[in-house]
Amino acid sequence: MPRPRRGGWIRIHRCGLGGAILVAVRPSARHAPRVNTPSDLLPVVYADESSNSGQNLLDPHQPVFTLAGVHLPDELAASIVDDVRYQLPPTQGEPKYGSLARSSGGRRALRRAFESMPEGSVRSYLMDKRFMVVTKLVDVLVEPLADADGLNLYEDQGGLALAELLRMAGPVLGDAAAFHQMLQAFVDWVRQRLATDDFFTAIAAYKASIPEEHADFAGWIELLECCRGVADETAADLATGEQRDILDPAVPALYCLCTSFGEAVGRFRLVHDTSKVINRNTTLLRMVHLLPDPARPGRFNDPLPAVQIDFADSTSHPQLQIADWAAGAVRQWAAHLAVGGGDRFSEELTDVVKPWVVGAVWPAGTVDLRAARPGGR
């Protein structure tokens, strides 16, 4: 298990709770009392993802990541899936969301299925991948430097304000292509496909594209340049594997989703669609309560209410099939919000899927300038 260093990837996994840089709805974390309940008697939550491109967060064809969880009785879940299958041609294979959403009959079947879901049985967490890159740029480089000077960027949402400022002003006050190249260089550097020197060359190139009249904003890019020492240390950790998956949205989304379900059902067993990244991070998820919460100084992270994590596929559990539909629907709706386009069905999904969303890494479109200034002054 990696040590909880400042600027390490556990920070982004705080999913915005209590003021970390990710935007999220914080659940109250009032979980049921801990009792020694056999795992086969615990409630079961089933989860699946949509559009997970791993750490390749700038794939233009997959701008949004979503995770959906489903808590439904076996009989009800089976009846919902059977009803959908009954409405499809006999030649239809496994009814995945992607194939259903491409036909009018599949869309009608999905709408009918979604209408039959009991309130609270479906929850989802979503991420704007481009904004996540900007938040991680602040998280990995700037936060450790600020912490060394005694400034907690999470306590007063200063890190979030800086990420919003960079996202909104970056492509406008400097060259948009150079700004995108800086973000791409950061992603490639984290993925160990680009040397640290080349990453900082991209930062310098973007700063040089900012006109003199925007010198104040250029000062924020100079702040990134001052983080070379942090970058060298992080690069060493990446090379040894001490930090891994720091850009993958799957683990932070799962922590947030489980926390939300825990508020409703207490401790539960999680069945997740087959996932390599979740599998190799299960130990961290189970031990997250042993790590300090930087957004709440002196306190620790809330424990993961999923006391057991198993993996399966949708052919074994109808709830996983429904989780695939829910994740796909939220992804289609959110992608329509993020980049426009889409079709009428994307808009029609709004009333259905919006209530499912319990939190998000999503740009707010505004900047708290007081929080963005050092010390909040």
Side-chain angles (χ1 to χ4, degrees), residues 26-59:
R26 176 170 185 172
S28 65
R30 293 189 295 270
H31 305 304
R34 288 187 172 271
V35 293
N36 293 322
T37 305
S39 61
D40 58 345
L41 298 180
L42 290 171
V44 184
V45 172
Y46 298 82
D48 197 8
E49 307 163 351
S50 181
S51 199
N52 187 3
S53 54
Q55 296 195 105
N56 182 23
L57 294 178
L58 294 178
D59 181 348

Side-chain angles (χ1 to χ4, degrees), residues 170-227:
V172 178
L173 301 186
D175 181 73
F179 181 74
H180 176 78
Q181 185 55 44
M182 181 180 73
L183 297 184
Q184 186 64 64
F186 172 66
V187 171
D188 291 342
W189 171 73
V190 170
R191 301 176 74 192
Q192 301 183 73
R193 298 183 176 185
L194 192 72
T196 306
D197 285 343
D198 295 330
F199 171 35
F200 275 78
T201 295
I203 295 176
Y206 171 66
K207 187 184 75 171
S209 77
I210 302 173
E212 181 63 31
E213 59 263 32
H214 300 310
D216 287 348
F217 178 71
W220 291 109
I221 309 305
E222 289 179 9
L223 175 61
L224 297 179
E225 292 184 307
C226 292
C227 298

Side-chain angles (χ1 to χ4, degrees), residues 220-296:
W220 291 109
I221 309 305
E222 289 179 9
L223 175 61
L224 297 179
E225 292 184 307
C226 292
C227 298
R228 178 58 192 259
V230 175
D232 288 336
E233 181 183 353
T234 302
D237 288 345
L238 291 169
T240 61
E242 186 168 343
Q243 293 200 63
R244 189 175 180 181
D245 303 319
I246 65 175
L247 295 182
D248 196 304
V251 176
L254 184 61
Y255 176 80
C256 294
L257 188 72
C258 286
T259 302
S260 178
F261 268 110
E263 182 183 20
V265 304
R267 300 167 73 223
F268 59 87
R269 182 168 68 91
L270 176 71
V271 178
H272 197 291
D273 192 60
T274 303
S275 170
K276 292 181 179 179
V277 66
I278 298 299
N279 188 38
R280 64 174 171 257
N281 284 287
T282 52
T283 299
L284 177 64
L285 284 165
R286 289 173 178 145
M287 300 180 67
V288 70
H289 61 285
L290 301 178
L291 301 176
D293 181 354
R296 299 178 295 173

Side-chain angles (χ1 to χ4, degrees), residues 9 18 44 91 192 200 322 337:
W9 69 273
V44 184
T91 56
Q192 301 183 73
F200 275 78
I322 296 171
L337 294 180

